[in-house]
Amino acid sequence: QLQLVESGGGLVQPGGSLRLSCAASRFTIKNYHIGWFRQAPGKEREGVSYITSSGRAMDYADSVKGRFTISRDNAKNTVYLQMNSLKPEDTAVYYCAASTVIATMSRKSYDYWGQGTQVTVSS
């Protein structure tokens, strides 16, 4: 089965940047739509961004639009989430997920999930 591993999380000051990576194994990531989600303590998991398998379409939650950028490097079997101008409210566990059917901001569209990586934005 497809396996996804997130990395790149950590502690960063407000206004700082992080780049998250979502690496796939066993299957090539080019065949999958990839979404990024996050979950803060006491809150539901919410969609952050997605990119289609072709890379021709992508979307962002209003809360991150203009600050985050999703991209994919199929040669490295990896999807990235570049996060700039980070705010304390961005603090959450970030997950990547894969879909073979449709790319949406809903977690129900995705079949495979990584284990998550912690992002903490604090001074």
Side-chain angles (χ1 to χ4, degrees):
Q1 64 184 49
L2 178 69
Q3 295 179 336
L4 301 173
V5 178
E6 303 94 336
S7 62
L11 175 64
V12 65
Q13 294 184 350
S17 297
L18 287 172
R19 188 180 72 164
L20 305 184
S21 298
C22 174
S25 63
R26 295 204 65 196
F27 297 93
T28 56
I29 203 167
K30 68 178 182 179
N31 298 315
Y32 297 89
H33 312 302
I34 301 296
W36 282 99
F37 295 79
R38 67 186 182 187
Q39 187 166 22
K43 301 181 67 176
E44 293 187 356
R45 193 169 301 185
E46 64 177 353
V48 175
S49 182
Y50 69 74
I51 187 167
T52 59
S53 59
S54 68
R56 292 195 293 267
M58 59 199 74
D59 202 5
Y60 302 90
D62 288 341
S63 58
V64 308
K65 199 167 296 182
R67 300 187 296 119
F68 290 12
T69 303
I70 192 169
S71 63
R72 61 192 306 150
D73 186 343
N74 289 336
K76 296 182 178 180
N77 222 24
T78 301
V79 171
Y80 302 98
L81 185 68
Q82 178 67 45
M83 306 187 296
N84 298 326
S85 302
L86 283 162
K87 305 174 180 179
E89 51 263 45
D90 295 318
T91 296
V93 177
Y94 283 72
Y95 301 87
C96 67
S99 169
T100 60
V101 178
I102 191 170
T104 75
M105 299 292 284
S106 171
R107 65 184 185 273
K108 294 184 177 180
S109 298
Y110 297 85
D111 303 308
Y112 307 99
W113 293 82
Q115 83 291 343
T117 185
Q118 178 71 48
V119 172
T120 302
V121 185
S122 176
S123 59

